[in-house]
Amino acid sequence: MATILNVNDTDASRYLVTRILEMAGHRVIEAATGGEALRLAQELRPDLVVLDVQLPDLNGYEVAARLRASPETASIAVMHTSATFITADKRVLGLDSGADAYLTQPFEPAELIATVKSLLRLRHAEQEMRLRADQLAEADRRKDEFLAMLAHELRNPLAAIMTAIGILERKSSDDAKEVRMRSIIHRQTHHLARLVDDLLDVSRITRGKVQLRRERMDLRTVLQQVFTLIRPVSEGRELRLETSLPDFPLWLQADATRLEQVFMNLLDNATKYTDAGGAVSVQASQEGVDGSARAVVRIQDTGIGIPANKLPAIFELFSQVDESLERTRGGLGIGLTLVRNLVELHGGTISASSPGVGRGSEFVVKLPLTVAPPALASTTIASDESKRHRRILLVEDNSDARQALKDLLELWGHQVEVAQDGMNGVARALEARPDLALVDIGLPGLDGYRVAQELRARVGQAIRLVAITGYGGPEDRHRALQAGFDHHLVKPVKPDELDRLLTDL
């Protein structure tokens, strides 16, 4: 049984409509003015309003418009009726004002009932769709929470492994097999870390939550860094890596970290889909001049190629070139989606082409160039003081990660105190007065945010605070800085990255 609000200032007409609706099994509420109709609609939330156009205060068009404008009543179905305003332009005006149907009087009872049934069916379908949308939104929220927790749980062991291999790589070995094993662990750990980052980043991008940290930079610097990282991978897969960069800078206003992510994904794909003995080529150049100038990066491989029917959807989420049961090439099918979105966030474009299966492929990234920066008058050289050994407090509840990072810091010559929870961390900081504290966020008892707040309140700026955490979203970074941290690092932290941070501090 539906609840229907019947609005008409003529007693006889209102009574007739009410009787027809009640005989059809509906519950009917009556109103004689537009103001009363709006009040009852707000209070009772009927399923449908049968609304006469000619009313003594507000006309039916205005009532319908106000019902649609209010979030509380916007979903109520509205049917206009009128014996006076029956021309086509009046019906159009009624529908434009927010009505879902328009009946001219006199009408047959069957016509009224059929129209009411139709509108109630539509309203029921809308309610089902709205409920489904709410359920999907809730499921999406839960997914995001799960991904954030999953990343945190995966990054903790990754941090310990990456730090440990960083220590091992600093010790020479004459055992060729041991060197190979270290290299394998290093490559696979970094690969797993990239998969975790890609999984989270694609979720953030689809929700519009990725913000670029733009700065003026030379694209060649990013590409050279990527070449350094990918060269061991290509050599391990017995591939030739051929690179060609211009002898002039390619200035961009861009997020260097995100662009490194773009080209690492593309080159990792190129090496992954190219068999041993093949080649991967990277060429960077400039096209256009002045305001239309763009940097162009072409990545070509001699790999398995892309079937013609796969090319149109190659950048879609979960799209896979290798769909065989063996899945020998691996991957989650999210890397190219992430790449496309990051390139587009920079105002650029990316395209893919392939002559066919077994004949390789080419990806072309184009990014808008910016004006070259002015030449620096002088170069500032870091002082010896910036590289001095420091007194460091490490607050980390994961025992393996804590021990590995402590060993690495001590290998660099720092004096390290450790604490395994937030309360102990605050106590050790107040007692030992370290120069710097590396603090995990997900600590038992007193979390990292509260540790930072407590130390800022009690020792002020006398200590530098660095958050090291598995939670890596922009909102997590913002919250860390708001709590009092000077820097926010996401696990697993690369040893070189940590070393640079300690030097800069």
Side-chain angles (χ1 to χ4, degrees), residues 393 425-437 451-465 484 486:
L393 171 65
V426 172
R428 295 299 302 136
L430 296 176
E431 179 183 343
R433 298 288 175 168
D435 303 311
L436 173 138
V451 169
Q453 291 165 350
E454 188 73 16
L455 290 178
R456 285 288 177 244
R458 301 177 71 169
V459 301
Q461 299 300 316
I463 184 173
R464 305 303 290 273
L465 299 176
D486 298 294

Side-chain angles (χ1 to χ4, degrees), residues 100-311:
D100 300 289
Y102 201 107
L103 285 184
T104 57
Q105 296 173 332
F107 44 72
E108 295 294 327
E111 183 182 9
L112 174 64
I113 296 302
T115 305
V116 167
K117 284 182 178 179
S118 175
L119 293 178
L120 290 176
R121 281 197 304 270
L122 288 174
R123 184 176 186 276
H124 178 71
E126 289 175 356
Q127 288 176 329
E128 289 290 324
M129 291 176 63
R130 194 174 296 111
L131 177 61
R132 179 60 177 159
D134 291 343
Q135 290 172 339
L136 289 173
E138 175 63 16
D140 192 54
R141 185 189 64 79
R142 289 185 174 182
K143 177 208 66 178
D144 294 336
E145 290 179 353
F146 169 75
L147 287 176
M149 185 59 66
L150 176 66
H152 180 262
E153 293 303 316
L154 289 175
R155 280 169 170 161
N156 269 326
L158 278 173
I161 297 170
M162 191 171 287
T163 306
I165 194 62
I167 294 173
L168 292 176
E169 287 181 333
R170 280 165 171 76
K171 295 184 177 181
S172 60
S173 174
D174 296 328
D175 188 333
K177 183 178 291 185
E178 180 182 339
V179 172
R180 286 199 304 274
M181 294 305 103
R182 289 180 188 176
S183 179
I184 290 171
I185 295 171
H186 181 274
R187 286 197 305 272
Q188 295 304 317
T189 303
H190 278 74
H191 179 62
L192 183 54
R194 283 201 304 274
L195 287 178
V196 172
D197 288 340
D198 285 356
L199 186 63
L200 288 173
D201 282 339
V202 79
S203 175
R204 294 191 197 109
I205 284 178
T206 54
R207 292 179 291 127
K209 289 194 173 184
V210 167
Q211 295 180 341
L212 300 180
R213 300 177 194 173
R214 293 179 182 268
E215 59 183 358
R216 197 186 298 272
M217 49 153 288
D218 183 357
L219 178 59
R220 296 180 306 169
T221 303
V222 171
L223 291 173
Q224 286 165 348
Q225 173 67 15
V226 171
F227 297 157
T228 300
L229 296 172
I230 203 67
R231 199 172 296 279
V233 177
S234 62
E235 290 174 354
R237 293 171 178 167
E238 300 179 15
L239 303 173
R240 298 190 313 280
L241 179 61
E242 302 165 352
T243 63
S244 174
L245 300 180
D247 55 6
F248 53 86
L250 298 169
W251 295 110
L252 306 176
Q253 196 70 25
D255 187 324
T257 301
R258 292 302 186 180
L259 287 187
E260 181 179 319
Q261 194 174 5
V262 164
F263 293 111
M264 274 301 297
N265 258 301
L266 290 174
L267 281 171
D268 188 58
N269 269 0
T271 58
K272 183 167 58 180
Y273 288 101
T274 302
D275 293 327
V280 175
S281 166
V282 184
Q283 295 179 326
S285 61
Q286 175 180 334
E287 70 174 22
V289 294
D290 300 328
S292 63
R294 293 184 295 179
V296 181
V297 181
R298 299 180 182 276
I299 298 174
Q300 297 173 312
D301 63 67
T302 59
I304 66 172
I306 306 171
N309 65 321
K310 296 287 184 182
L311 272 173

